[in-house]
Amino acid sequence: GIGGCGKTQLVSYFLQEYSSLFEHTIYVDASSSSSIKADIQIWARSLGDGHDRDAWEDGVRVMSSVAEGKRWVLIFDNADDPTLDLVHFLPKNRGVTIIITSRNRDVGNLSTTFHLELGEMETEEAIEVLLQAARRQKPLPLEEVKSVQALTGELGCLAVALVQAGTYCYQMSSTINGVFQPYTFNQYLSLFSSHRVGLMKKVQPSPLDNYCRGAYTTLDLSFNLIPQKSRDFLHVISFWHHTDIPLDILASAAKHGFQGSFTLLPRPEAHKGIVDTLTNILCLDGKWSELQVQDIVRNLRSFSLLSSTSINDSLFLRMHPLVQSWSRDLLETQASQSYIAMAIQVLVSCGG
């Protein structure tokens, strides 16, 4: 699921609720091959009884030899790197339950039982999370109810962003003469409209789960792993509405050479650069390449930065509203203008 949707927190909750099911719990930071090896080795050596010089391979062998009737659980957390091969770290034993959290949806191909893809919360769930993080209770004043609804819409019901917003409100609240004076959701919404980037990048431990990354920081981790063409593609489509983006308009624009059917004013100097960049993203040898574009879509989907739906043999794209805002906010003013120009140029030229 998308970064910040609550994958690690869901696993943590599961282990707290059902801790009695497992005799051993092994937690592994799966952000890199070296961190996996280090964590497995540390765990293996902690077993004592002659294991104090074990390597990570010995740890995997121990897990592969769990006695029949015993139940262990092994968690690989944040296995996001698409180049990471987890297979040789996986013990082969029915007594070991393996849980993997990842932004990379392709990791689901390793599952022999269940693959759960987390998305947005329902609006009512999102409101409950926001209120809990802010230490607020219903009923709220009518004006605040409207702000809460607007805020959950702006944040796209994304868990990490909701907790971040609620935590900020709580931290800015005060108690005067024994009376709790909340920093209202109206105040936060007003601040958010003018300081979205700063708020979403804030690093602060949550009182709910001790998660310490800001929503934008979490998304930045995915962005750093995707190739340049995927980044360019994401920036272009982020300047359209975030739902029901038809791939056909990109194909049509490319087939018309990203040129409109008529010109009312002289083209600016930057026009050729805009066409060249679009051609580089969407074409191969100067011609529309559906395979190349679908590889880009697949790459973005693998990091849960994009989703797609096929309807009547046509592919439609969708991005989370907070991903859309974050993608725009990544850009400096000049770069932003270039991507806006590309998005407009596609629309102008898709009809020939």
Side-chain angles (χ1 to χ4, degrees), residues 2 30 61 73 89 118 132 198 200 237 243 260 267 285 336 344:
I2 186 175
R61 279 192 287 271
V73 60
F89 297 117
L118 298 185
Q132 187 178 358
M200 290 294 97
I237 67 171
T243 62
R267 300 291 192 192
D285 297 327
S336 179
I344 293 171

Side-chain angles (χ1 to χ4, degrees), residues 170-305:
Y170 174 70
Q171 291 175 339
M172 292 298 292
S173 299
S174 58
T175 301
I176 301 174
N177 296 326
V179 178
F180 182 63
Q181 301 290 336
Y183 184 85
T184 67
F185 295 116
N186 305 338
Q187 290 172 287
Y188 185 87
L189 186 61
S190 176
L191 186 68
F192 182 83
S193 65
S194 56
H195 297 280
R196 179 176 60 205
V197 176
L199 288 170
M200 290 294 97
K201 279 189 175 291
K202 271 191 174 297
V203 178
Q204 52 190 22
S206 155
L208 296 183
D209 53 22
N210 209 37
Y211 189 81
C212 293
R213 288 178 184 154
Y216 274 18
T217 307
T218 300
L219 294 170
D220 287 343
L221 295 174
S222 295
F223 189 78
N224 292 336
L225 293 173
I226 62 177
Q228 187 60 48
K229 284 187 179 180
S230 297
R231 297 179 184 186
D232 289 335
F233 185 89
L234 188 68
H235 286 320
V236 171
I237 67 171
S238 70
F239 288 100
W240 297 329
H241 191 271
H242 62 90
T243 62
D244 298 328
I245 303 168
L247 206 63
D248 286 347
I249 68 168
L250 294 166
S252 178
K255 288 171 183 176
H256 289 101
F258 304 106
Q259 302 291 344
S261 55
F262 54 87
T263 303
L264 298 177
L265 295 171
R267 300 291 192 192
E269 289 183 11
H271 178 73
K272 184 179 184 302
I274 289 168
V275 171
D276 288 346
T277 303
L278 286 169
T279 301
N280 180 57
I281 300 169
L282 304 173
C283 300
L284 187 64
D285 297 327
K287 295 182 179 179
W288 163 254
S289 173
E290 186 164 357
L291 181 61
Q292 176 169 296
V293 173
Q294 289 197 8
D295 279 346
I296 290 172
V297 170
R298 184 174 56 81
N299 179 257
L300 292 170
R301 284 189 65 188
S302 74
F303 287 96
S304 303
L305 294 174

Side-chain angles (χ1 to χ4, degrees), residues 7-8 36 68 77 139 146 157 189 199 228 251 271 274 289:
K7 301 177 291 296
T8 300
I36 293 174
E68 187 173 350
D77 194 31
K146 292 178 180 178
C157 298
L189 186 61
L199 288 170
Q228 187 60 48
H271 178 73
I274 289 168
S289 173

Side-chain angles (χ1 to χ4, degrees), residues 330-348:
L330 278 173
L331 301 167
E332 299 292 340
T333 302
Q334 187 172 356
S336 179
Q337 290 171 350
S338 296
Y339 285 107
I340 291 172
M342 288 182 219
I344 293 171
Q345 191 61 35
V346 168
L347 297 178
V348 167

